[in-house]
Amino acid sequence: MEAIKAQGIGSESQVEDLGRCVDEISTTVNQLEQRVNDVEQFYMTTDNTQLTTTKYSSVFKDKVKEKQLTNIEKQQQEASHREAAAVKRMQDLMRQFATILRQITQHKWAHPFMHPVDVEGLGLHDYYEVIQKPMDFGTIKSKMEAKDGTGYNNVREIYADVRLVFKNAMKYNDERHDVHIMAKTLLEKFEEKWLQLLPKVAEEEKRQVEEEAKSQLDMKLAQEAAHANMARELSNELCEVDLQLEKLRQMVIQRCRKMSTEEKKKLGTALTRLSPEDLSKALEIVAENNPGFQPTAQEVDLDIDAQSELTLWRLKVFVQDKLKLAGKCSEDVDCNNINNNENTIKSNSKRKREISDVLTKNAIKRTRKLSPNS
């Protein structure tokens, strides 16, 4: 806040310095407000388990990314290692399954199922009306060897297609037909061998489900921790804004001219023209710098001459604003000559700081609740 340190050499220069000061603080408050809203939105979407779809402001995204980088990289590395290990284990299961499939396809009755059914050559005009998804061992083998991403992802997918080969044959052909009998016999042999491999397949599937759940939980905890830190930093930055406002307030006090007796008289008259609600707010302004003043007492005795210059000018700003809104401006108060940005910024800063404090507490509670050790 270089403007706060600068000493104006004239009234115009001083006003420019104050204007720059107010603009800087206003910009900071607006940025903090957006970040507070983003943190609040994060926790709202957390309740709905939509962490990955939250839309953050670009500035906030960068800050969250910076804070999460170490944890995210760690989680990504661990997830990558787990995924690589899972792929290796599944490939091993597929090799074991390929052994079973090879034993079945080498059987003397397997030849009718090695290639797609020759529908045209055999004159099976109703074949596609009966069989919705044709399948054969040649197609299965090609898909198992595919390297372009069109292959099988796991053993159960291959198992399902092998059964489909036999089920199609049994469905289309009468149970007394040789093809039906051959398919039924080979299916029984295949199922026996599959049952020997099934426990390993089930164990691997269970392991993958558990690892995926752990990966999601770790990522969620990392995001919770990052946003909890962000909320705490927001609270600290808002406190810094309060300090800057206090410096600005002190500078304004030092540079403000003393209010004349005539101006005090007009201010006192203008106070009487406020609505009951606005008058109560005006008395609260007086109480902020005068602890002994009781704004809510049944009878209030306000001595204008006993108030500080800061209180007098704040009252004038407040009164002119309210009377202007109510259309009651007169010569008692000039409605166009005082900027009230300082009060507005201070009020906004206080509100954002309260929100940030609440978010920080909630973030800590949530992190503890999600912790595996809790």
Side-chain angles (χ1 to χ4, degrees):
M1 296 292 293
E2 295 298 328
I4 289 180
K5 299 178 181 179
Q7 295 296 324
I9 57 175
S11 59
E12 183 176 351
S13 175
Q14 290 176 355
V15 170
E16 290 178 355
D17 287 347
L18 291 175
R20 284 194 297 269
C21 240
V22 170
D23 289 343
E24 289 176 7
I25 295 176
S26 296
T27 300
T28 301
V29 169
N30 289 337
Q31 292 173 349
L32 291 176
E33 180 178 11
Q34 180 61 58
R35 289 167 59 192
V36 167
N37 291 338
D38 287 334
V39 172
E40 186 176 23
Q41 183 184 11
F42 169 82
Y43 286 114
M44 291 174 63
T45 53
T46 298
D47 292 337
N48 295 322
T49 63
Q50 297 174 349
L51 299 178
T52 59
T53 60
T54 303
K55 297 180 180 179
Y56 301 115
S57 65
S58 58
V59 175
F60 189 68
K61 278 183 179 178
D62 294 338
K63 287 188 173 292
V64 171
K65 183 177 180 181
E66 179 182 347
K67 294 299 178 184
Q68 288 182 333
L69 188 59
T70 301
N71 286 337
I72 294 299
E73 286 180 345
K74 181 179 179 181
Q75 298 302 327
Q76 287 177 339
Q77 289 177 354
E78 292 179 356
S80 179
H81 292 327
R82 286 195 295 267
E83 183 178 353
V87 169
K88 185 177 180 181
R89 293 193 303 270
M90 185 57 69
Q91 289 175 344
D92 183 59
L93 287 174
M94 286 184 173
R95 283 192 292 269
Q96 295 180 53
F97 187 91
T99 301
I100 296 174
L101 185 59
R102 187 164 53 252
Q103 293 172 355
I104 296 299
T105 57
Q106 289 175 353
H107 194 278
K108 62 181 179 179
W109 286 355
H111 64 88
F113 315 108
M114 297 303 296
H115 304 286
V117 175
D118 185 4
V119 176
E120 295 293 334
L122 297 174
L124 307 177
H125 305 300
D126 63 341
Y127 186 80
Y128 294 118
E129 296 177 4
V130 178
I131 303 302
Q132 283 72 41
K133 183 181 178 183
M135 186 56 61
D136 63 277
F137 289 135
T139 300
I140 292 174
K141 182 180 179 182
S142 298
K143 196 170 180 180
M144 288 178 68
E145 296 173 350
K147 305 294 183 181
D148 59 355
T150 61
Y152 294 108
N153 295 314
N154 55 65
V155 176
R156 282 195 186 272
E157 291 182 356
I158 315 176
Y159 165 75
D161 276 355
V162 172
R163 291 187 81 252
L164 185 61
V165 172
F166 299 129
K167 288 293 184 179
N168 284 348
M170 294 167 65
K171 182 178 181 179
Y172 187 78
N173 297 280
D174 184 82
E175 60 183 21
R176 291 187 298 272
H177 195 283
D178 288 344
V179 174
H180 183 106
I181 295 172
M182 294 163 71
K184 183 177 180 180
T185 302
L186 290 178
L187 177 59
E188 290 174 353
K189 291 181 178 294
F190 170 69
E191 292 288 7
E192 290 177 1
K193 296 180 181 297
W194 167 253
L195 288 176
Q196 297 174 9
L197 183 63
L198 184 57
K200 294 182 179 179
V201 175
E203 180 182 355
E204 175 59 26
E205 290 173 340
K206 179 181 178 182
R207 182 172 181 177
Q208 288 187 10
V209 170
E210 292 174 347
E211 288 182 351
E212 178 63 22
K214 182 180 184 302
S215 178
Q216 291 182 0
L217 178 61
D218 290 344
M219 186 64 69
K220 188 174 183 179
L221 290 172
Q223 290 178 318
E224 288 279 0
H227 284 81
N229 290 334
M230 187 63 66
R232 282 190 287 268
E233 288 189 1
L234 280 170
S235 180
N236 293 335
E237 292 182 43
L238 286 165
C239 288
E240 178 63 25
V241 170
D242 278 347
L243 292 176
Q244 293 176 354
L245 286 170
E246 179 60 25
K247 291 180 180 179
L248 180 61
R249 187 174 72 93
Q250 293 299 326
M251 184 174 68
V252 170
I253 293 174
Q254 293 174 2
R255 297 182 178 183
C256 273
R257 64 176 178 80
K258 289 187 176 183
M259 190 173 288
S260 66
T261 302
E262 183 62 24
E263 286 175 315
K264 291 179 183 179
K265 182 179 178 181
K266 289 183 178 181
L267 176 58
T269 302
L271 283 169
T272 64
R273 304 176 64 223
L274 292 174
S275 67
E277 181 181 356
D278 289 337
L279 181 58
S280 296
K281 293 179 180 179
L283 295 178
E284 289 175 2
I285 292 176
V286 175
E288 286 183 20
N289 292 306
N290 188 352
F293 185 74
Q294 299 295 327
T296 58
Q298 291 185 350
E299 293 186 5
V300 178
D301 183 16
L302 177 60
D303 185 358
I304 290 290
D305 293 328
Q307 307 307 314
S308 66
E309 293 298 325
L310 175 63
T311 298
L312 292 174
W313 285 107
R314 288 186 64 195
L315 282 175
K316 184 170 183 176
V317 169
F318 177 80
V319 170
Q320 74 168 20
D321 183 50
K322 295 302 178 181
L323 294 183
K324 183 176 181 180
L325 289 175
K328 297 180 180 180
C329 287
S330 68
E331 62 178 5
D332 292 337
V333 178
D334 181 358
C335 291
N336 299 309
N337 67 349
I338 298 179
N339 191 311
N340 64 350
N341 283 343
E342 183 187 356
N343 281 336
T344 303
I345 296 172
K346 185 172 183 180
S347 176
N348 286 341
S349 176
K350 182 178 181 181
R351 178 171 62 84
K352 304 303 181 303
R353 180 153 53 87
E354 290 172 349
I355 295 175
S356 182
D357 289 342
V358 172
L359 290 174
T360 302
K361 294 177 182 178
N362 288 342
I364 295 172
K365 290 180 181 178
R366 291 171 180 270
T367 303
R368 290 177 178 170
K369 181 178 181 181
L370 290 172
S371 175
N373 297 325
S374 61

